[in-house]
Amino acid sequence: MTKNLCVIGLGYIGLPTAVMFANHGVRVHGVDVNQRAVEMISNKQLHIEENGLQERLDKAIDSGMLTVSTEPVEADAFIVAVPSPIREDRTADLEYVRKATASIVPYLKKGNLIILESTVPPKTVEDVMLPELEKSSFKIGEELFVSHSPERVIPGRIFEELEQNGRIIGGINEKSAEMTKELYEAFVKGPIELTDATTAELVKVMENTYRDVNIAFANEMAKIGEHLDVNIWDAIRFANFHPRVNIHQPGPGVGGHCIAVDPWFLVELAPEQSNIIHLSRKTNDGMPEFVADRVMEFVGDSERKIAVLGLSFKADVDDMRQSPSIDVINNLQEKGFTVASFDPHVKDDSHPTQVKSIEEAAEGAAMVLILTNHKEFKDLEPGQVADAMDEKIIYDTKNCIDLPAWKVAGFRTYLLGDHKDNTNE
Ligand code: SAJ
């Protein structure tokens, strides 16, 4: 039974996971190289936004079950939850995983369990972690146990999903997998399946790749919808009535640190085999430019101002990593547009175009461009911005605005995946 756990990496996954274990009877020490994040967490302040995290962090710190610092400590088990990004050339950068693994070696004891949570290319446990762990004097598989237990939680609903989602746990041997299962049973209510480490790595990457390919399909359908003057959002909704169809939603691109990244792991490892996967990545990465081209077409003059609503990569989160909004803004600026952006979830000064309110963004703008479907935008009313604008155009790339109401208020309204200019309908 694990009594002491050391979690390396206190980001979007590591911190909620550490807090969850601490509130379920496991004594946790959290480690991060970011001194400021460590100071904030120990003062019960959040450096990331996540529903329900604040109260759970308060409880974990107040009870003394969660401590944090920049250095690992001895423990029964270690969880590595660090970034696994891609480089400019789209190859996996596994230095964080390697360094995090190396950092725990001096603290290892006989019988320890080391778990990788980060999403990684298949064989990372074998090729990157094990060589580091072998530098300890312990025998891998007999004195040190190692597994991959990839997180599957969705930002915004992390705590529900940590508890409810099933887990695929892959061990370097059966004992490693069993020990990992026993640990996660502290809070996981979903089913836990055991396999080997490489299969678990592939399963996780495959899940996100499935979503990327499906979104690419939806984006292609949106372009077809525009070509045929069909509202693709309705069409997808109707198609999804079929019990075996589950088409995802189109949008201005795919962002975040997972879905826009993980498919590249497969392209790197198996380039000859990854045709649909590669094309889907390119399709989704091409969406920001597609949106910017449409803005140009609708506004007709690049010497104008565009009010961009939404900077984070998806609804109701503050995370701007790989956000398509940034690419759309860059594309617009390259065309010569002036951009003012607003996002109620993103902290001030996160982006040079950021202003403090929707009204300020709309001041003198020719178009309101919706790039993220935050709940705050869904109820946006034309009266809030109409008078301040230079011209009345709205372009919704997420199908989250009541466009007919805007049309009544005299706006030219556009919806991604429904090319018609609705003004004259
Ligand atoms: N998006 C669309 N259309 C859709 C769904 C999403 O354009 O129908 C876009 C979003 O706007 C966003 C991006 O895709 O820019 C990714 O958002 P997401 O909500 O699909 O996924 P993430 O990145 O927040 O979380 C995913 C989840 N994976 C799956 O659903 C298979 C989550 O369960 C994983 O734990 C997470 O990746 C991860 O950490 O790997």
Side-chain angles (χ1 to χ4, degrees):
M1 174 66 189
T2 303
K3 294 189 203 78
N4 292 295
L5 176 67
C6 184
V7 177
I8 314 293
L10 296 174
Y12 283 92
I13 299 302
L15 182 58
T17 304
V19 162
M20 199 69 168
F21 275 112
N23 292 339
H24 284 82
V26 181
R27 197 167 287 281
V28 183
H29 186 76
V31 180
D32 204 290
V33 288
N34 179 346
Q35 174 84 42
R36 202 180 89 86
V38 165
E39 271 165 28
M40 287 181 76
I41 296 164
S42 57
N43 290 321
K44 295 186 281 186
Q45 289 167 345
L46 296 184
H47 69 118
I48 52 169
E49 183 185 282
E50 176 58 35
N51 293 327
L53 179 55
Q54 184 69 63
E55 55 268 33
R56 286 175 174 88
L57 176 65
D58 291 350
K59 186 175 166 200
I61 298 275
D62 289 341
S63 65
M65 292 298 277
L66 176 65
T67 53
V68 287
S69 77
T70 52
E71 290 296 327
V73 295
E74 288 192 355
D76 302 314
F78 294 83
I79 290 181
V80 173
V82 294
S84 47
I86 45 169
R87 303 189 190 90
E88 275 288 299
D89 66 356
R90 318 275 197 220
T91 58
D93 177 359
L94 299 171
E95 266 309 281
Y96 295 101
V97 173
R98 198 192 57 73
K99 281 197 183 126
T101 311
S103 78
I104 60 177
V105 169
Y107 301 90
L108 291 175
K109 290 180 303 184
K110 194 172 166 180
N112 273 169
L113 171 65
I114 300 105
I115 303 163
L116 177 66
E117 276 241 12
S118 318
T119 304
V120 289
K123 297 200 187 292
T124 298
V125 166
E126 237 173 71
D127 296 346
V128 179
M129 288 187 91
L130 293 190
E132 291 301 326
L133 295 172
E134 275 157 9
K135 292 178 187 165
S136 74
S137 52
F138 300 110
K139 247 185 137 166
I140 308 288
E142 287 171 32
E143 295 174 323
L144 282 188
F145 301 91
V146 188
S147 69
H148 182 44
S149 174
E151 55 80 17
R152 290 166 131 180
V153 292
I154 198 120
R157 289 176 32 87
I158 289 184
F159 287 101
E160 287 107 291
E161 295 209 355
L162 270 177
E163 216 171 80
Q164 301 303 334
N165 290 1
R167 281 216 171 225
I168 306 299
I169 292 174
I172 56 153
N173 58 10
E174 232 176 283
K175 175 131 193 239
S176 301
E178 285 293 347
M179 285 170 76
T180 310
K181 180 177 183 209
E182 200 188 315
L183 173 64
Y184 281 88
E185 276 170 347
F187 61 78
V188 173
K189 298 208 173 86
I192 299 180
E193 292 281 343
L194 303 188
T195 180
D196 60 85
T198 307
T199 304
E201 289 167 329
L202 179 61
V203 168
K204 169 64 205 231
V205 172
M206 192 160 65
E207 291 167 0
N208 282 351
T209 302
Y210 157 79
R211 204 158 162 81
D212 197 44
V213 171
N214 197 328
I215 296 167
F217 174 67
N219 283 329
E220 189 159 297
M221 288 312 306
K223 292 177 190 169
I224 292 172
E226 295 192 2
H227 187 65
L228 301 178
D229 264 356
V230 169
N231 180 318
I232 210 65
W233 304 86
D234 285 344
I236 289 176
R237 192 163 55 83
F238 296 143
N240 285 347
F241 276 118
H242 189 292
R244 283 176 296 281
V245 174
N246 172 25
I247 305 170
H248 291 8
Q249 304 289 293
V254 169
H257 43 296
C258 311
I259 295 188
V261 171
D262 303 349
W264 290 115
F265 297 163
L266 297 179
V267 175
E268 182 184 356
L269 289 176
E272 302 258 310
Q273 291 77 7
S274 305
N275 299 317
I276 296 174
I277 296 170
H278 198 170
L279 184 58
S280 301
R281 263 299 61 245
K282 288 206 277 194
T283 302
N284 290 336
D285 274 353
M287 288 311 289
E289 191 181 347
F290 177 84
V291 168
D293 286 347
R294 283 285 185 259
V295 171
M296 184 64 210
E297 202 180 302
F298 300 151
V299 174
D301 169 10
S302 65
E303 309 248 299
R304 308 290 294 277
K305 177 179 166 187
I306 308 297
V308 164
L309 299 191
L311 285 169
S312 67
F313 83 95
K314 67 173 196 172
D316 308 328
V317 301
D318 64 347
D319 192 346
M320 279 172 56
R321 284 178 292 178
Q322 266 97 19
S323 174
S325 302
I326 308 309
D327 290 336
V328 173
I329 292 172
N330 289 343
N331 268 287
L332 291 174
Q333 288 176 329
E334 270 164 33
K335 289 184 192 303
F337 286 103
T338 303
V339 177
S341 66
F342 175 70
D343 191 311
H345 291 264
V346 168
K347 288 180 200 78
D348 288 350
D349 301 325
S350 300
H351 194 266
T353 62
Q354 218 176 343
V355 296
K356 299 229 178 321
S357 68
I358 294 177
E359 290 77 5
E360 193 183 341
E363 186 71 49
M367 172 189 268
V368 170
L369 171 60
I370 311 282
L371 296 179
T372 313
N373 48 339
H374 288 315
K375 56 183 180 305
E376 292 84 349
F377 297 156
K378 291 183 182 158
D379 302 325
L380 186 65
E381 292 193 6
Q384 241 173 291
V385 292
D387 288 347
M389 289 179 71
D390 207 25
E391 196 178 341
K392 290 181 183 174
I393 311 176
I394 182 163
Y395 180 23
D396 180 4
T397 66
K398 296 296 282 186
N399 194 26
C400 69
I401 293 281
D402 179 12
L403 288 180
W406 287 67
K407 203 169 94 176
V408 170
F411 274 75
R412 265 203 284 147
T413 62
Y414 296 98
L415 175 63
L416 178 90
D418 181 18
H419 191 198
K420 286 170 286 197
D421 170 359
N422 295 327
T423 315
N424 300 318
E425 265 179 26

